[in-house]
Structures are given as structure tokens and as C-alpha cells.
Amino acid sequence: MCHEKDAESAIQIMRDGVEDELYVCRDCAKAERLRRQKKSQRTRKMPSLPPGVSMSVTQIGGDEPPPQIIEAIMNAMSGVVSGIDKAAKAMKEKTPEMISLSLKGVDKRLCVAEGLQLEGLFLIGEIESVRRALHALDMDLAGYQIDGVNEAGHVYKLKYSGNAERAERVRDEIIAQELNARIRLFEEMPRVFGDSLCRTLAILKNARLLSSGELFDLLSPLRLAAMEKMLDGITLRGVESLIASIDIYNKEDTLDQRQRDKIDAARADDMNNRFEDVVINDSAEGRFL
């Protein structure tokens, strides 16, 4: 296509409605793939979200608790059955104050903004099952609420009352379940993760208004993809730098609506430019599409 380099790869193109095969150099093949992805993700003619309306990337699964994950969390400590009974009785009494469990020594792949990133468990539909199991143990997942987006990025602080050692065992089991969930996403449910990832890229490329909470939410699945080296155009370090730049303490709440819209518009423009050339790479594309 460039008439400058030797052919290294074969691509399929449409000419007058007929599919034809061309032999091209590696750079031309990559440029053609980028052109097709940009075209397929173009959504400018679609109506944008009204000001102030936020949207999470995706949610998969129903309300039925998968028995295996509840069992795994419950088995992280002894006296499971009696513990549930005691917790049920305790609910009738005054609820003790909960404190945040330290994440010291936790695998950095699981940590975002001083919380546990449980995007895998969310995408496979098991996050509510985890929450119900924790409630029975006087524990809870406290998500971030950023600019009106609840549980943004599916990042949580693990809250507990009572025995810290028991809480640490539960935390370690949740971490194991999250890592298993990510493996399931990539190996057993690639279409689910691919859908979340493609929706994320489409919004970042085309949003006209983007709140800090929505951006934090969108970058969560993108971080998983970057860790697996599934993207061209951005690295894990780049994604984490964007996450770190987000105000998670709602400082923009003090602004009036006109000021917030102006900031959201500028944020959207910045992300449009930043993600213009970010695409799913060859290795990931074959798994998701």
C-alpha cells in the first residue's frame, strides 16, 4: 500500500463490494487495522448522554448467589455455621463501628486508590454474592462514590469489626477469588470482557461530557486489559497515571452546574484526543471478536 517496503502480511479489503486479498508490509497492515477499528467505533451520530447522567460500563449476571464463592469466603475462617448464627443475632443489636482493613503487603495488581479493585468479580456477576457473605461476617465492601457514580471503578475498602486476623483471612480469600475471576474472564468469558473493553474505548473516544466519576469507572476494565498487554497506544503505566490524576474526593461538588459542565467537556475532549489511537491489539482481537 505504501509501495516502499517488502510485503510481510496478508489483509482482506473490499473493492466494489468484492473481497480482495492484498500483501502488504507490517506498518501498512497495522495502519489498515487501526483505520477499521476507528471506523467501527465511530459513534458521533449517536445522541450523547444528558448533562449530569453517568453510565457504568457493564453489568453481567443475576441476583442468584453462586454457592462456590460464598463457600470459599465463609471457609476462610473456622466456625462458619455458628458465625452466621451469631451475625444474624447481632443484627438485632447495636451495629459496631467498622474500620478499614489495611492493604499492606497486598498484590499491587489488586490495589487502586487505597482500595481493592474487584472489577473481575463485578464483570462475572459475583460481587453481590461476596457482599452478602461479608455482611454475615460483620464485614462490608465500601465503594467510592465519585461525582454521582456509586461504587466507581468497583474499587472498595474492606470494612470490618471485631477480629482483625479473621478479617485478613477473608481479605486474602477475596483476593484469590478476584484473581480467579480475571482468569475466567480472559479464558472462559472473553466476549464479556471484550464487550466491556470495547464499550469503554468507544465512550472515551467519543464522549462529549465526562465526569471524574465516570472516567474512574471506565478506566477500571482498561487497567485489566493493560496488565494483560491487550492494547496498542497506551501502557499500564499510562492508565494508572490517568487514574491517579482523578479527584476521588468530590472537590468539584462545590462548583455550580455551568462550571462542572465546562470541566466535564474539557475532560471529554482530553480523553477523546488521548484515546484516539488506542485500540485492541492483534493478540486480544482474536480472542474477543
Side-chain angles (χ1 to χ4, degrees), residues 138-170:
D138 290 332
M139 299 178 67
D140 194 15
L141 293 175
Y144 288 89
Q145 181 170 346
I146 306 174
D147 202 10
V149 178
N150 292 322
E151 301 188 13
H154 308 109
V155 175
Y156 304 90
K157 289 189 176 182
L158 188 60
K159 299 278 190 174
Y160 77 100
S161 61
N163 190 291
E165 184 178 349
R166 184 189 72 164
E168 289 174 356
R169 292 201 298 271
V170 175

Side-chain angles (χ1 to χ4, degrees), residues 205-222:
K205 289 171 183 283
N206 296 282
R208 309 313 300 138
L209 291 170
L210 196 60
S211 70
S212 57
E214 187 175 9
L215 179 58
F216 190 86
D217 201 47
L218 292 167
L219 291 174
S220 187
L222 210 63

Side-chain angles (χ1 to χ4, degrees), residues 29-45:
K30 184 175 181 179
E32 176 65 13
R33 177 172 59 82
L34 179 62
R35 184 191 69 80
R36 291 181 182 179
Q37 287 197 329
K38 282 185 179 180
K39 184 177 180 181
S40 69
Q41 295 173 0
R42 194 174 298 140
T43 57
R44 291 288 188 191
K45 293 184 179 180

Side-chain angles (χ1 to χ4, degrees), residues 224-271:
L224 300 192
M227 281 193 285
E228 295 297 315
K229 296 181 172 55
M230 295 179 174
L231 301 171
D232 282 344
I234 194 168
T235 63
L236 174 60
R237 186 174 182 177
V239 173
E240 291 185 332
S241 177
L242 288 173
I243 292 174
S245 70
I246 296 173
D247 166 32
I248 64 174
Y249 299 108
N250 298 301
K251 295 177 182 177
E252 294 176 15
D253 284 351
T254 59
L255 305 177
D256 62 36
Q257 190 60 51
R258 187 174 181 179
Q259 292 173 311
R260 294 177 69 174
D261 286 348
K262 185 177 181 180
I263 291 174
D264 289 352
R267 183 184 291 113
D269 290 343
D270 287 344
M271 292 303 105

Side-chain angles (χ1 to χ4, degrees), residues 69-93:
I69 193 165
I70 292 182
E71 181 182 1
I73 293 173
M74 292 296 196
N75 286 339
M77 75 292 296
S78 60
V80 173
V81 177
S82 61
I84 295 176
D85 292 337
K86 291 177 181 178
K89 294 178 181 178
M91 296 202 43
K92 299 179 181 178
E93 303 172 0

Side-chain angles (χ1 to χ4, degrees), residues 58-116:
T58 184
Q59 182 167 358
I60 308 298
D63 294 329
E64 289 301 318
Q68 64 272 22
I69 193 165
I70 292 182
E71 181 182 1
I73 293 173
M74 292 296 196
N75 286 339
M77 75 292 296
S78 60
V80 173
V81 177
S82 61
I84 295 176
D85 292 337
K86 291 177 181 178
K89 294 178 181 178
M91 296 202 43
K92 299 179 181 178
E93 303 172 0
K94 184 178 178 179
T95 303
E97 182 179 354
M98 290 189 175
I99 58 177
S100 296
L101 185 64
S102 171
L103 296 182
K104 184 177 180 180
V106 172
D107 189 332
K108 296 301 182 184
R109 292 176 297 170
L110 279 297
C111 299
V112 171
E114 301 180 355
L116 284 176

Side-chain angles (χ1 to χ4, degrees), residues 52 58 92 136 148 174 181 192 203 222 235 281-282:
T58 184
K92 299 179 181 178
I174 292 174
V192 170
I203 294 172
L222 210 63
T235 63
N281 62 27
D282 288 329

